Amino acid sequence: MLDSTIWWHVYPLGATGAPIRDRAGDGSDSAPRLRQLEPWLDYLIELGCDGLLLGPIFESVGHGYDTLDHYRIDSRLGTNDDFDHLMEACRTRGIKVMLDGVFNHVAVSHAVVDKGLAGSTNWEGHDELATLHHDDERVREMVTDIMKFWLARGIAGWRLDVAYSVPGEFWTDVLGRVRADYPDAMFLGEVIHGDYVQITRDGTLDAVTQYELWKAIWSSLHDANFWELDHALNRHRDISREILTNTFVGNHDVDRIASKIGQDKEILALAILLTLPGMPSIYYGDEQGFEGMRGEGFSADDAVRPPLPATPGELSDLGAWIYREHQALIGLRRRNQWLTHADIEVLDKTNETISYRVFTENEQLLIDASLTPTPHIRIHTDGETLYEWTA
């Protein structure tokens, strides 16, 4: 089942060291960089994940969210043949692949702008982007065709960038057309704020990103305020009874969790993440304690989208202990797949401690987390300790 997948989320342009800005425009930056991810597939599996969630990989102007051609792999990453090679490597390992589809807007230099399929430049302050006309049948046909084109090459589904900005009726129409041929495909909508349940239902999405929970996890640990987490867990319980969410403590758009709260508290954040209902994703490098804070201007995201070394063997030993804790907690999650659709009950909380249980009719986990005197977490059931960690 796709909803029990644990995704390793990678931003390919950054992870492979591709140039993002100040491109020469003569093709000199073209290279089969997508193949650089192949040595990391066994690492993904050893970590305990079984899905690869890829950031944008289509031909674009710069950062990948300014698409120029949805049918072609970005020349900085290689060719469609390089993508097929990576897909085959994933298939042989049983790794599911999800692609990042930017269907709200395109680069202002995209051919569809001249054809009248997009306009309204300066989307959310970005004057290099033009919003697609979602009520235009040609746009609906185009997006349907793009989705099917890559699903035919073996992907498991789509992350829908800024899904909250696209009319729900558009998603209902387009996804209905795609599901007619690919009924098992998953569609994960990026939603930052708003009514998650209503947005999911209006667009017939399979899941949405859970930013509320992300904020509460790091913020409660940072501020020693588990009352905030208590509130968020109650919200997450109600939301999870209705829909599936993609849960996370890091992605390509936010500060690294280790930089926000420190590496010790990162383990608590991970343990909380992996004991809650939802479909979790791990952002590449978080499992090694990578650090980075977003900045300002055109290079704002560079620090949280760094290059990976050529192979996992070249990683620093400094992050090995964090990797081992990730393995242990992801392994616990994999052995308890019922957690995906579980219920939550907060049992007790103070500023610096929280206890909650996650359960179904037949299963239960108990989680006790504390920030005093040092970060500590214990996951147990029926008197048996399944995981325990102290800073």
Side-chain angles (χ1 to χ4, degrees), residues 324-339:
R324 288 193 295 271
E325 299 305 325
H326 274 73
Q327 283 183 308
L329 285 163
I330 293 172
L332 185 150
R333 177 72 179 213
R334 293 287 294 272
R335 292 189 297 274
N336 294 276
Q337 294 191 3
W338 56 269
L339 286 165

Side-chain angles (χ1 to χ4, degrees), residues 8-9 43 256 266 283-291 308:
W8 195 51
H9 182 189
Y43 170 92
R256 286 280 180 177
E266 177 187 346
Y283 186 53
Y284 82 104
D286 280 354
E287 76 283 351
Q288 296 286 338
F290 279 19
E291 298 183 350
L308 288 169

Side-chain angles (χ1 to χ4, degrees), residues 65-201:
Y65 292 97
D66 43 6
T67 316
L68 288 170
D69 188 343
H70 289 89
Y71 292 96
R72 198 155 49 91
I73 296 298
D74 196 298
S75 60
R76 291 167 292 174
L77 296 173
T79 66
N80 289 13
D81 287 341
D82 294 315
F83 174 80
D84 290 341
H85 178 86
L86 181 65
M87 282 298 303
E88 181 58 29
C90 288
R91 271 192 293 270
T92 61
R93 292 167 172 82
I95 297 171
K96 291 155 281 195
V97 177
M98 182 179 288
L99 296 186
D100 201 339
V102 188
F103 302 121
N104 174 68
H105 53 265
V106 294
V108 293
S109 49
H110 194 296
V112 299
V113 176
D114 289 340
K115 296 177 181 178
L117 276 66
S120 304
T121 58
N122 199 32
W123 176 78
E124 290 195 354
H126 301 282
D127 56 11
E128 75 278 13
L129 302 176
T131 306
L132 287 166
H133 295 317
H134 295 101
D135 58 349
D136 191 316
E137 174 59 21
R138 294 173 298 169
V139 172
R140 298 180 179 217
E141 290 177 354
M142 178 185 74
V143 174
T144 299
D145 191 65
I146 292 165
M147 287 186 174
K148 289 183 178 182
F149 180 83
W150 295 101
L151 283 163
R153 294 179 108 99
I155 69 169
W158 288 93
R159 173 194 179 271
L160 306 175
D161 186 58
V162 295
Y164 58 89
S165 284
V166 177
E169 191 274 329
F170 174 85
W171 293 130
T172 298
D173 184 9
V174 169
L175 301 188
R177 302 184 196 193
V178 177
R179 287 180 175 126
D181 291 339
Y182 297 95
D184 297 326
M186 171 171 278
F187 300 95
L188 164 64
E190 182 196 18
V191 178
I192 298 175
H193 42 67
D195 187 332
Y196 291 174
V197 174
Q198 195 62 51
I199 292 171
T200 303
R201 290 176 173 169

Side-chain angles (χ1 to χ4, degrees), residues 252-280:
H252 62 299
D253 282 331
V254 302
D255 297 330
R256 286 280 180 177
I257 187 67
S259 292
K260 295 291 280 188
I261 59 176
Q263 293 180 342
D264 286 342
K265 290 181 182 177
E266 177 187 346
I267 306 304
L268 268 66
L270 179 72
I272 292 168
L273 171 74
L274 291 176
T275 54
L276 293 177
M279 180 180 65

Side-chain angles (χ1 to χ4, degrees), residues 201-237:
R201 290 176 173 169
D202 287 348
T204 65
L205 306 173
D206 293 303
V208 294
T209 52
Q210 225 304 21
Y211 269 88
E212 280 188 20
L213 183 64
W214 159 77
K215 194 274 179 185
I217 290 175
W218 74 256
S219 183
S220 63
L221 291 168
H222 180 274
D223 298 338
N225 179 17
F226 277 130
W227 293 83
E228 178 182 0
L229 183 59
D230 168 54
H231 176 76
L233 291 182
N234 288 320
R235 287 268 302 158
H236 187 57
R237 175 200 62 208

